[in-house]
Amino acid sequence: MRKISTISTILGLLGGLVFSGPALSAEKTFETRIGTLTFDERGMPTESTSDLLFDWLDFQYGVQSFLWSLPYVGAQGWLEANRFHGATSETDMVAYRGYEGSMGVLTPTSNVTYVFAFPNLAKTGPVVWEIPPGAIVGSIMDFSQRAQGDFGLPGPDKGKGVKLLILGPDQAIPADADGYRVIQLPTVTAMMGLRIINPDDVAELSPKLKLYPFEKRDNPPTSKLTFAGKESSFMAQPKGMAYWERLNTVIQREPVEERNRFFMAMLRSLGMEKGKSFKPNEHQSKILEAAALVGEKMAMANAFDHFKRGDVARYRDDSHWKWVIEADVPKQRGEHYDPLEERAAYTYEAIATSDAMVTKTPGVGSAYLGMYRDSDGVWLDGGKTYRLHVPPKPPAKQFWSETLYDAATRSFVENETKVAEIGSRTKGLKQNADGSVDLYFAPAAPKGHESNWVQTAPGKAWFTYFRFYGPLEGVLNATWSLPDIERVK
């Protein structure tokens, strides 16, 4: 009986604490991580406490909206880069190649040539993209960077060429669409990208790429493709209010999807609403500035220090390498949730997705491993000297490469040599007797290793991707071990 009585007494006390007004009102102040919250004798918030709570609510809205919107702002950044490099009409294409031509792209490789276009389907109507036969790897994405269909070598056409018919969300499939592969997008603006894998194929294949409105298929206009010049257009997300202004451009142009309606409500509280001018008041502007600062730092930590949130992306248990693109990211859909953190991690540091980037089919597509800290767990430093030992026969059917990126821009490290990448295609690469390769990353070339060196800059943090084009079983099932990057002391 005593045990039952004791339990009854405890439950009674808890009931009083939880449900009784007088018991709550006895506590007039609460020390919390956002500050002191003060309530009157009836348990009602003081005016200053209400103001503080709403400030923090708006700040939380801003930070979460920043993380959610990274794919849209990243895609808009590339669209604006295309315009910078000469895309003046909706069906113009821009090619990016080499160190200087790809500088500014988020985590590019200089081993392939990129071609991107961003037609506004509300203006053009459905468009046709003619892809010639050849070693091309491509993806059609919507404007949140969700993969909608691969083409080229990893696509249904297997690199034999294809005519893609791209439609917007409310556009009906034409009756005479035979002979086209139809892809319908949930966004007004298409994000269309491909990579020409072999440098020697660019001159032949790039003139054969044709992009035009479907309604002009009987007499297609001449397609325009320009090559990005030496003047870079950095695609890294802008700081402060410029971030929100870029996002507002997307919000005003694109339809609101069902899954984004709560985020639209958050942004509405901060002065951004579809169909209305973005004119935040002084209070909202201060909240947005603060949210952009903290949101960007959260995005950086989420991308570069993702292991602190669990080891799901770790390549191997004995490694600091991680999978750059997690399995659910291209479609942005998990079994019971949409991968918000994983999507934010990838689209902060990189851009564009495809199903082929997470393929498990040997010899098809690509695979990416990323590293941000050395073997001792210390951030990679441009003023230090490092070595990466690449074991013999990296499991890549086409080629492998190691690329270094500036942590601030997420594009190539800037250096005097104008080389940020080294790998199996590098001329003069020296191998060890067993077929392994030692790569060096340092401000100055270690003596005797000049041909296997990428120059870094003191005072700059960097990170790296190890790419496998045509990844084989060894990397797909993680049985091939890639050692950590070691500091040479």
Side-chain angles (χ1 to χ4, degrees), residues 112-350:
V112 305
T113 295
Y114 299 92
V115 178
F116 267 75
F118 295 86
N120 183 324
L121 300 168
K123 294 181 179 180
T124 62
V127 297
V128 175
W129 204 12
E130 292 190 20
I131 309 300
I136 287 174
V137 174
S139 176
I140 302 297
M141 294 154 278
D142 65 23
F143 212 71
S144 70
Q145 301 188 42
R146 281 177 297 187
Q148 302 292 319
D150 288 0
F151 59 88
L153 294 176
D157 57 295
K158 304 297 183 184
K160 297 178 181 178
V162 64
K163 287 185 178 181
L164 301 166
L165 175 56
I166 315 302
L167 291 82
D170 299 318
Q171 294 170 344
I173 299 174
D176 52 347
D178 291 345
Y180 298 89
R181 180 183 168 199
V182 178
I183 299 177
Q184 189 147 28
L185 303 182
T187 58
V188 163
T189 309
M191 184 175 183
M192 303 161 53
L194 62 83
R195 290 161 285 176
I196 300 175
I197 301 302
N198 300 318
D200 294 340
D201 293 344
V202 175
E204 177 190 353
L205 295 178
S206 59
K208 296 179 181 179
L209 295 167
K210 298 179 181 180
L211 178 59
Y212 52 85
F214 179 77
E215 65 179 13
K216 298 182 179 180
R217 63 196 178 281
D218 294 331
N219 187 25
T222 301
S223 297
K224 178 183 174 183
L225 187 151
T226 59
F227 281 80
K230 294 181 180 180
E231 189 174 0
S232 301
S233 174
F234 280 90
M235 300 180 192
Q237 299 85 0
K239 307 290 185 181
M241 288 303 296
Y243 181 92
W244 303 110
E245 289 161 1
R246 182 173 289 182
L247 174 60
N248 182 62
T249 298
V250 179
I251 295 297
Q252 300 306 325
R253 186 183 65 233
E254 301 299 331
V256 176
E257 294 186 63
E258 191 66 27
R259 69 174 186 156
N260 292 336
R261 292 176 67 87
F262 280 129
F263 285 102
M264 294 299 103
M266 295 182 192
L267 290 168
R268 182 172 177 269
S269 296
L270 299 171
M272 188 184 302
E273 187 172 359
K274 187 172 179 63
K276 295 185 178 180
S277 297
F278 179 46
K279 296 180 180 178
N281 58 36
E282 182 179 359
H283 173 77
Q284 290 169 327
S285 294
K286 289 181 178 179
I287 293 289
L288 287 167
E289 289 274 6
L293 173 63
V294 174
E296 196 270 337
K297 301 309 178 189
M298 279 188 180
M300 176 185 286
N302 183 46
F304 298 164
D305 227 5
H306 197 55
F307 287 157
K308 290 185 180 294
R309 302 291 282 177
D311 286 351
V312 291
R314 191 181 292 273
Y315 173 58
R316 290 166 53 104
D317 292 340
D318 60 354
S319 172
H320 280 95
W321 291 98
K322 79 162 191 173
W323 293 107
V324 173
I325 310 173
E326 297 180 51
D328 296 333
V329 168
K331 288 289 189 282
Q332 297 178 21
R333 179 55 56 94
E335 184 179 1
H336 302 297
Y337 66 95
D338 287 353
L340 180 62
E341 286 188 15
E342 296 85 351
R343 181 180 87 154
Y346 176 72
T347 55
Y348 171 74
E349 71 181 39

Side-chain angles (χ1 to χ4, degrees), residues 315-476:
Y315 173 58
R316 290 166 53 104
D317 292 340
D318 60 354
S319 172
H320 280 95
W321 291 98
K322 79 162 191 173
W323 293 107
V324 173
I325 310 173
E326 297 180 51
D328 296 333
V329 168
K331 288 289 189 282
Q332 297 178 21
R333 179 55 56 94
E335 184 179 1
H336 302 297
Y337 66 95
D338 287 353
L340 180 62
E341 286 188 15
E342 296 85 351
R343 181 180 87 154
Y346 176 72
T347 55
Y348 171 74
E349 71 181 39
I351 192 166
T353 64
S354 72
D355 292 327
M357 289 179 170
V358 292
T359 181
K360 292 300 182 184
T361 302
V364 175
S366 52
Y368 306 78
L369 299 180
M371 181 166 284
Y372 311 82
R373 297 175 180 267
D374 65 19
S375 58
D376 294 324
V378 179
W379 294 113
L380 296 167
D381 185 339
K384 306 293 193 303
T385 298
Y386 299 91
R387 181 181 73 103
L388 172 62
H389 180 73
V390 182
K393 299 180 180 180
K397 181 179 179 180
Q398 294 167 327
F399 69 89
W400 62 267
S401 67
E402 176 82 354
T403 315
L404 273 60
Y405 302 108
D406 186 313
T409 66
R410 280 88 73 202
S411 194
F412 292 138
V413 290
E414 294 189 68
N415 55 35
E416 298 170 353
T417 66
K418 298 189 183 304
V419 174
E421 192 161 14
I422 192 167
S424 58
R425 286 184 168 180
T426 301
K427 294 181 180 179
L429 185 72
K430 290 184 178 180
Q431 293 187 346
N432 300 319
D434 63 353
S436 65
V437 176
D438 290 314
L439 306 180
Y440 291 86
F441 318 116
K447 188 175 181 179
H449 301 289
E450 291 82 359
S451 61
N452 289 26
W453 162 67
V454 175
Q455 186 180 37
T456 58
K460 297 287 188 71
W462 59 274
F463 66 98
T464 184
Y465 284 1
F466 196 102
R467 283 179 168 83
F468 305 80
Y469 268 78
L472 301 176
E473 289 91 342
V475 64
L476 297 178

Side-chain angles (χ1 to χ4, degrees), residues 60-79:
Q60 290 172 354
Y61 283 171
V63 171
Q64 294 307 313
S65 294
F66 185 100
L67 297 173
W68 159 79
S69 61
L70 283 165
Y72 298 100
V73 174
Q76 183 67 19
W78 200 323
L79 183 156

